[in-house]
Amino acid sequence: MIEVEERNGIYRIRVNNPIPPVEFNFQGEKVNKIPEGLTIIEGENSIVVEKKLELEEHIVGLGEKATELDRRRFKYVMYNVDAGAYKRFQDPLYISIPFFISVYKGKATGYFVNSASKVIVDVGFTHYSKVIITIPHKDVEIYVFEGSTPEKVIEKYTDVTGKPYLPPKWALGYLISRYSYFPQDEIVKLLDLMKEFKVTGIFLDIDYMDSYKLFTWDKEKFPDVKKFIDEVHKRDIKIITIVDHSVKADQNYEVFLSGLGKYCETDKGELFVGKLWPGNSVYPDFFREETRKWWSELINKWLNQGIDGIWLDMNEPTDFSQYKEGEDRLLLAFPKNVVHYYKGKKVYHELVRNAYPYYEAMATYEGFKDKEVFILTRSGYAGIQKFAGIWTGDNTPSWDDLKLQIQLVLGLSISGVSYVGIDIGGFQGRGFEKIDNSLELLVKYFEIAMFFPLFRTHKAKDGIDTEPAFLPDYYKERVKKVIETRYKFLNYIYSLAVEAHNTGHPIIRPLFYEFPDDENTYRIEDEYMVGKYILYAPIIEKSDKRIVYLPRKSKWMEFWNQEINEGWVNSKSDLPLYVREGSLIQLDDGDLISFGDVEIKGKAVRRERKIMFNTPTYVRNLISEFGILKIDKVITEISL
């Protein structure tokens, strides 16, 4: 049985009365046909959805995938896994978002399969001219989004799955992390060493806990927690603590006792006891409303001591009880006999696995109550953007990883997740092959991430120090230039976070997002747009220059020397940065970027290309705090 509803170009297709893993708010009118081009084939225990793949069609999205941004010619697995020291083409990774956009002959169409099971999306791999989606159960909910551009599709997708949450402005600053910082006095000393680099937040990894028990402090490493929190806050720096999903199975542990009746079980009704950092561990069943309420109270109590943010890790969810080093990392998933209780029904874990971190993030978000929300999560599902940002997990420092990280971040960005970033410097330490600990590579990581919404260094225990305070002068100055340039544009970046929160538009974007009719842009994966007005082309090779593609539908001003260009150009900068014609941007230091025709009160005003230094106070007062010019009265006093 197939039912189809439609509203404003959004179709919802329900096959065999499904109970979707996440219920999204949608109400449409019943229609009598499936959207054009889709074929639905029902098997005994599966559903196959097919659509034709045209020769000149582009398929983009699918979230965190370690391939080219145009996803053709690969078979993708949607199944969250602790990917470890992953590399290019490894699949799956940490997060599953079964949503993609087709762009063909000027038309964009989005497809979202609301299944949190092991969905396979085969994009012209098995069959040259077909997209084949295999769903391993006999009922499913599918959405189709019609749109003229990728932007219109993402607007509709986030209308259904939710608009991105708005991170606090400090979360767009430079954040530092390590596995792990301690004891408390050394952390304070480190923050003082890092003062010139304008750190706005510090992450604490699992070693701050007592025996890895959630919501506890190790009293030897943090003997005076209140003093520590006060010292950090005195420096205008926020504290973000890691919180895993593993509750130590210890009858003398208050959190464990308070959660009895709310943990995951086996299909025999027994408590599922697995293994994670604390040893024998149980795991909250976040699919239950009562579990989420219990968790949100724990989070709120934890935050009340002065903690500013929560970092959710290992929440694919990962369990160590089946896995041995070197084996298939899918064995890090829960065993097949684990069940959840969802809407009063018992559901096997593998059918809803990918939604586990979604509900954990929801419960964590609710725990902030009236507080300013900051949540970063390693895993998630479609709609995770409502509650948290994402980072790309345990990347390995290498020259190849530089380009891969740009691809991963952009893939997430056009899949609804706007607050996204990487472990700058690469997470892995010295325990893996082909680790490159060169200072040149470290600087390149800072450079590629200059405009990533999440700007955070993070490193494993056996890794080098990535904080720029420890670098030789030459490299320190280069990192400082990156940080200073980012801070110049911080209000502009925040304006894009506000835009994302209101519309679903990504903060950073592949070139084809802004220029979908330019075929060149679909293979440009080492450049990105920052909103509509800034193009950034970091140098990712062992070189001091590169060729940059500037889409020809606009003219572009080079930020550093004000030269005008379009098309293929040789960059002359170590940080190739270009301003799009028609932009007017207030920088945080008071300077003003003006280039081309700018519209004020609906009228185009011709302006000379220029960076206006030492902008007069009365001009600044006419410009909104969010960076983009929004003027309620016509400027007559100045000429730009």
Side-chain angles (χ1 to χ4, degrees), residues 32 88 122 193 263 269 271 406 449 473:
N32 296 321
R88 186 177 298 278
D122 184 329
L193 279 175
Y263 300 122
L271 185 65
I406 299 174
D473 289 348

Side-chain angles (χ1 to χ4, degrees), residues 56 58 101-108 148-152 510-522 551 553 580:
E56 296 176 293
H58 303 286
I101 302 172
S102 159
V103 185
Y104 178 60
K105 288 189 174 179
K107 180 183 178 184
S148 55
T149 63
E151 181 165 277
K152 294 299 181 186
L511 269 59
F512 60 73
Y513 178 93
E514 287 294 330
F515 304 95
D517 297 330
D518 185 338
E519 286 296 315
N520 287 324
T521 61
Y522 290 90
K553 289 201 171 183
R580 188 176 180 178

Side-chain angles (χ1 to χ4, degrees), residues 325-562:
E325 192 67 35
E327 294 182 332
D328 188 337
R329 296 191 73 86
L330 286 172
L331 291 172
L332 288 163
F334 284 3
K336 291 183 180 295
N337 66 337
V338 173
V339 297
H340 302 286
Y341 288 87
Y342 178 57
K343 295 189 180 298
K345 293 189 175 183
K346 190 183 292 187
V347 183
Y348 276 99
H349 175 74
E350 63 182 355
L351 290 176
V352 292
R353 172 175 174 79
N354 298 338
Y356 184 94
Y358 174 93
Y359 285 108
E360 181 194 33
M362 174 194 288
T364 304
Y365 186 94
E366 290 168 352
F368 278 78
K369 299 188 184 301
D370 58 349
K371 297 178 176 65
E372 185 178 63
V373 179
F374 177 83
I375 303 172
L376 185 67
T377 177
R378 190 168 78 174
S379 190
Y381 178 67
I384 189 67
Q385 67 272 3
K386 295 194 296 287
F387 309 121
I390 295 283
W391 93 102
T392 58
D394 298 348
N395 61 321
T396 300
S398 71
W399 289 92
D400 182 64
D401 185 67
L402 282 175
K403 184 174 181 180
L404 176 59
Q405 291 306 311
I406 299 174
Q407 293 169 330
L408 290 171
V409 166
L410 292 177
L412 284 162
S413 288
I414 55 166
S415 301
V417 185
S418 61
Y419 185 73
V420 63
I422 69 172
D423 285 347
I424 295 173
F427 172 76
Q428 302 296 348
R430 298 177 176 90
F432 294 89
E433 294 181 6
K434 299 181 179 178
I435 296 289
D436 189 332
N437 283 333
S438 68
L439 298 184
E440 184 63 31
L441 179 62
L442 175 58
V443 172
K444 293 294 186 186
Y445 272 103
F446 276 96
E447 290 178 356
I448 67 165
M450 186 164 74
F451 291 111
F452 288 176
L454 170 69
F455 188 75
R456 180 185 81 151
T457 47
H458 184 50
K459 202 65 168 179
K461 289 188 174 184
D462 60 343
I464 63 171
D465 291 325
T466 54
E467 299 84 1
F470 304 118
L471 297 179
D473 289 348
Y474 170 72
Y475 300 99
K476 183 185 296 185
E477 290 306 311
R478 289 172 61 190
V479 171
K480 192 181 295 185
K481 181 178 179 181
V482 169
I483 294 171
E484 288 174 350
T485 303
R486 178 183 180 87
Y487 276 94
K488 276 180 181 287
F489 286 87
L490 203 61
N491 275 335
Y492 176 66
I493 297 170
Y494 186 69
S495 77
L496 298 173
V498 173
E499 180 184 338
H501 179 61
N502 292 329
T503 65
H505 300 167
I507 296 172
I508 65 168
R509 311 161 182 188
L511 269 59
F512 60 73
Y513 178 93
E514 287 294 330
F515 304 95
D517 297 330
D518 185 338
E519 286 296 315
N520 287 324
T521 61
Y522 290 90
R523 302 296 284 271
I524 305 294
E525 301 177 315
D526 56 356
E527 306 176 18
Y528 58 88
M529 299 292 299
V530 188
K532 290 183 179 296
Y533 301 106
I534 299 294
L535 185 150
Y536 181 48
I539 299 172
I540 60 173
E541 307 291 342
K542 298 177 183 179
S543 172
D544 59 356
K545 59 184 178 180
R546 61 162 292 172
I547 294 175
V548 177
Y549 180 65
L550 304 173
R552 292 188 178 91
K553 289 201 171 183
S554 288
K555 284 186 168 54
W556 303 85
M557 178 178 70
E558 215 276 345
F559 176 75
W560 305 105
N561 60 25
Q562 289 86 65

Side-chain angles (χ1 to χ4, degrees), residues 8-176:
N8 297 330
I10 302 173
Y11 293 83
R12 181 171 69 174
I13 306 163
R14 294 170 59 85
V15 183
N16 298 329
N17 294 317
I19 300 177
V22 177
E23 282 198 3
F24 296 113
N25 185 24
F26 177 81
Q27 291 182 334
E29 299 290 330
K30 287 189 176 182
V31 295
N32 296 321
K33 65 174 184 175
I34 296 172
E36 185 178 354
L38 277 189
T39 302
I40 298 175
I41 305 162
E42 297 184 55
E44 185 175 346
N45 293 303
S46 65
I47 295 170
V48 175
V49 180
E50 294 184 355
K51 70 172 290 297
K52 183 172 175 55
L53 179 64
E54 302 288 351
L55 283 174
E56 296 176 293
E57 183 177 2
H58 303 286
I59 303 293
V60 300
L62 294 176
E64 185 183 62
K65 293 298 176 184
T67 69
E68 297 79 7
L69 290 175
D70 194 333
R71 306 302 196 186
R72 293 161 63 98
R73 314 301 170 205
F74 202 83
K75 185 187 290 187
Y76 300 92
V77 178
M78 297 291 157
Y79 207 64
N80 300 345
V81 65
D82 180 346
Y86 64 87
K87 54 187 180 298
R88 186 177 298 278
F89 307 130
Q90 182 173 324
D91 190 68
L93 297 180
Y94 301 97
I95 177 172
S96 298
I97 303 178
F99 162 69
F100 65 87
I101 302 172
S102 159
V103 185
Y104 178 60
K105 288 189 174 179
K107 180 183 178 184
T109 308
Y111 301 87
F112 166 44
V113 179
N114 190 12
S115 168
S117 62
K118 193 182 289 184
V119 172
I120 309 295
V121 183
D122 184 329
V123 186
F125 176 77
T126 301
H127 193 297
Y128 184 76
S129 58
K130 285 184 179 179
V131 176
I132 303 170
I133 305 168
T134 304
I135 303 148
H137 43 88
K138 58 186 179 181
D139 49 29
V140 73
E141 179 178 80
I142 301 166
Y143 288 88
V144 178
F145 308 94
E146 293 181 343
S148 55
T149 63
E151 181 165 277
K152 294 299 181 186
V153 168
I154 288 175
E155 287 175 357
K156 291 180 177 179
Y157 168 73
T158 54
D159 281 345
V160 171
T161 61
K163 302 301 181 188
Y165 96 106
L166 179 63
K169 192 172 181 182
W170 61 260
L172 299 171
Y174 176 27
L175 312 175
I176 63 172

